[in-house]
Amino acid sequence: MTGEVWAIVVAAGAGDRLAADRPKAFVRLGGRTMLAWSLSMLDDHELIDGIVMVVPEEYEERASLLADDLCAMKIAAAVAGGVTRPESVAAGVACVPEDAAFVLVHDAARPLVPPEVVDRVVAALRAGAQGVVPALPLADTVKRVGPDGSVAETLDRAALRAVQTPQGFPAAVLREALAAHTADATDCASMVERLGVAVVCVEGDERAFKVTTPADLARAVQLAAEDDHDDDEHD
Ligand code: CTP
Ligand code: MG
């Protein structure tokens, strides 16, 4: 399977902060696993040509079965991730065909990301961007603090953004960034930035929030249930 735009769904984290009885991506949200939400959105998305899932070791087969259950057509591989997020991304990139033009990297921990965010990321890549992140303004004032917790500085909130996924890159740029930096970067764009490559923001979405804690999961469950209810009303 080859194509222009590939998506890597990173789902290999343990989910320590959620502290469930299984890896976070396999925790239930509504009637299916958290991972299934992103997979089905990406599989249905007309701009996505192929998908690679990166899962915890020994979850590869379970992930493939999950893809079968979804009748997903575009999932090319389920591979084991690494100890850090960049290692997991690298494992995914290794399964992306050489001739793929663009790669989107998405956190399985953001199950409710709307397809419009993918539209915006791909549009920016097609317009020539070398790195694209969905971003939202911050509601809270942010301070830089020292090791003892004392405030060193109040940052200019107007210039700050919270960034989400999927983050998009020309495949060659992402491969180069991963080869240069395998340290524990919390997102892909920061590795690309370190190459001196310009990264641009597109509009993110509240629904692309990351499920980190049990309270986040409760919020996602509620949003998913509201969607089901809306669908019923429109039937
Ligand atoms: N991730 C991954 N491989 C890792 C670490 C993280 O694929 N070694 C993925 C997670 O599965 C998640 C995304 O990166 O979809 C964002 O990471 P995070 O929210 O921190 O998830 P976890 O690392 O699973 O959670 P925690 O840090 O609480 O353990
Ligand atoms: Mg983590």
Side-chain angles (χ1 to χ4, degrees), residues 13-17 24 85 210:
D16 289 334
R17 289 168 290 179
K24 182 160 71 179
R85 189 180 184 283
K210 186 155 72 74

Side-chain angles (χ1 to χ4, degrees), residues 41-42 44-48 104 112-122 166 205 207:
M41 185 279 282
L42 291 165
D44 287 345
H45 203 296
E46 60 179 13
L47 296 178
I48 299 296
L104 269 50
L112 301 181
V113 59
E116 293 77 17
V117 179
V118 171
D119 294 343
R120 294 195 280 271
V121 172
V122 173
D205 193 293
R207 294 180 62 100

Side-chain angles (χ1 to χ4, degrees), residues 83-197:
V83 174
T84 65
R85 189 180 184 283
E87 283 168 7
S88 294
V89 175
V93 168
C95 298
V96 170
E98 281 301 322
D99 62 352
F102 303 119
V103 178
L104 269 50
V105 183
H106 180 60
D107 293 333
R110 300 179 189 275
L112 301 181
V113 59
E116 293 77 17
V117 179
V118 171
D119 294 343
R120 294 195 280 271
V121 172
V122 173
L125 288 170
R126 291 209 168 127
Q130 299 293 292
V132 186
V133 294
L136 288 178
L138 298 184
D140 293 322
T141 297
V142 179
K143 298 185 191 293
R144 194 167 59 76
V145 296
D148 63 349
S150 63
V151 173
E153 183 189 8
T154 299
L155 301 171
D156 174 15
R157 191 173 68 192
L160 295 173
R161 298 289 180 274
V163 308
Q164 306 176 320
T165 73
Q167 299 186 349
F169 311 91
V173 170
L174 182 60
R175 288 185 206 274
E176 189 185 342
L178 286 165
H181 303 284
T182 48
D184 201 3
T186 54
D187 78 346
C188 292
S190 57
M191 295 186 284
V192 167
E193 289 154 34
R194 276 182 258 157
L195 295 177
V197 169

